[in-house]
Amino acid sequence: PAPAPAPQQPMHAAPTIAAPLTPQAPPTSYGQPGHQPPQPPQPQFGQVPGQGTPPYGQPAPAPYGQPAPAPYGQPAPFGQQPPGGPQGVPQGAPAAGAGLHAALQLYKETPTGQRWTPQNKQLMRVDLTMGGAGVLARQGSMVMYQGKVDFGYKSAGFVGRAVGNATGQEMQLMRCTGRGQVFLAEEGSYLHPIELQGDAICVSAESVLAFDESLQYEVRRVEGHGIPGGALFTMQFQGTGTVIIKTHGTPVVLPVTPTTFADCNAVVAWSAASQVIVSSQVRLRRNAYPGHSGETVNLQFRGAPGNFIVVQPYEV
């Protein structure tokens, strides 16, 4: 007879055995043999060992031997120059401190809303559009003008020429009219605007540069028997307006006292209410005798408190 069939086992009934491919070492505690500490990451090229990648939003540390960069929005420390900055610029200079416009910024025109404006100590600007009246200036004193300006010859007339030739106080004037600005100067002299409000002032014709046409002016005579020709002549300005006086150097204004004396060749102007007296005669010999200053003519000024004289450090 045929043998009995073997009993069939169900599928997937055999147990599954999983074994590790490589044997694993048992875990060890810190400090016991077999423990290896974690190794730090290798630094990148150009990075100092021990420096990691900074967190997001913070600047990277500077390379070894170089100062750390300043935080964003803050200036660099004193003595350091930011990378990529211009070379040859002085320390502490602003970013826009170099160039042609920055070099000429100091000498730019001074804009004001006045009729007479000093541009510097030796240059004066008059705005003809303000005031209405014209300006009388010494011929040849114009150095530049802007706008539509008309220049005309100011004749002194027969009487004026006769008085000017006799007294030496003649001025060759030109009339400036129109709408514009005229710049005046003469031989680098210091210019001083004097505004008159109904009062008067006496000025030597040699010291006058320009004045408003609205002012009245005339030649005055200072008596003195010791002065060559018998008298000393000056010009008196009176009214409402401005007269520009030129001096050699910085003048000094002194109050008039009974003991105020000045050389007639150094006096520029004085108040019209002052009394002028000739205090010394003409020097007759070359060497000054004891007690004499050696000057040709000395003037003594007298007047009430408030009177003044203007003296320049130069003899004409």
Side-chain angles (χ1 to χ4, degrees):
Q8 298 182 1
Q9 298 180 357
M11 186 177 299
H12 304 291
T16 303
I17 299 176
L21 299 179
T22 58
Q24 295 183 359
T28 57
S29 302
Y30 180 77
Q32 296 182 2
H35 175 75
Q36 295 182 0
Q39 298 294 332
Q42 295 295 331
Q44 300 179 1
F45 178 77
Q47 185 177 5
V48 180
Q51 289 185 352
T53 305
Y56 177 76
Q58 297 185 6
Y64 179 75
Q66 298 185 8
Y72 179 76
Q74 297 184 9
F78 178 78
Q80 298 182 9
Q81 188 173 2
Q87 300 293 333
V89 180
Q91 297 181 1
L100 179 61
H101 295 282
L104 301 180
Q105 188 72 14
L106 183 61
Y107 311 101
K108 64 182 299 186
E109 181 183 0
T110 304
T112 58
Q114 301 179 1
R115 179 174 172 87
W116 297 90
T117 306
Q119 300 300 302
N120 51 54
K121 295 181 179 180
Q122 301 166 314
L123 184 63
M124 183 70 61
R125 185 192 67 185
V126 53
D127 193 349
L128 300 177
T129 59
M130 304 180 61
V135 171
L136 297 179
R138 186 182 297 271
Q139 290 187 10
S141 60
M142 188 275 297
V143 296
M144 186 185 69
Y145 70 92
Q146 298 174 334
K148 186 177 181 180
V149 181
D150 297 329
F151 298 93
Y153 175 72
K154 170 62 177 177
S155 176
F158 176 77
V159 177
R161 288 195 300 269
V163 174
N165 294 332
T167 61
Q169 300 297 307
E170 182 183 9
M171 291 191 303
Q172 302 293 332
L173 299 176
M174 62 179 179
R175 177 184 286 109
C176 306
T177 57
R179 301 185 62 86
Q181 297 82 31
V182 182
F183 294 79
L184 304 173
E186 185 175 3
E187 297 180 354
S189 300
Y190 284 28
L191 306 181
H192 313 274
I194 298 179
E195 185 178 358
L196 302 179
Q197 297 291 342
D199 44 2
I201 187 174
C202 295
V203 187
S204 174
E206 184 66 24
S207 302
V208 177
L209 179 69
F211 56 92
D212 288 326
E213 195 174 10
S214 58
L215 293 175
Q216 296 85 27
Y217 61 97
E218 61 180 357
V219 178
R220 292 189 59 182
R221 184 172 183 265
V222 178
E223 299 291 344
H225 62 277
I227 302 178
L232 177 66
F233 297 91
T234 60
M235 297 190 65
Q236 176 178 333
F237 294 88
Q238 186 175 5
T240 301
T242 303
V243 55
I244 308 300
I245 297 178
K246 61 185 183 73
T247 62
H248 294 271
T250 303
V252 60
V253 180
L254 300 175
V256 173
T257 63
T259 58
T260 301
F261 298 84
D263 181 16
C264 66
N265 294 323
V267 174
V268 177
W270 63 83
S271 54
S274 301
Q275 182 183 3
V276 185
I277 301 175
V278 179
S279 62
S280 63
Q281 298 182 0
V282 180
R283 183 173 40 131
L284 300 179
R285 53 185 180 178
R286 185 177 183 85
N287 298 325
Y289 52 84
H292 195 273
S293 63
E295 303 295 343
T296 303
V297 179
N298 291 334
L299 301 179
Q300 181 181 6
F301 294 86
R302 299 178 181 178
N307 291 278
F308 62 90
I309 62 172
V310 182
V311 182
Q312 63 182 357
Y314 182 86
E315 292 188 3
V316 180

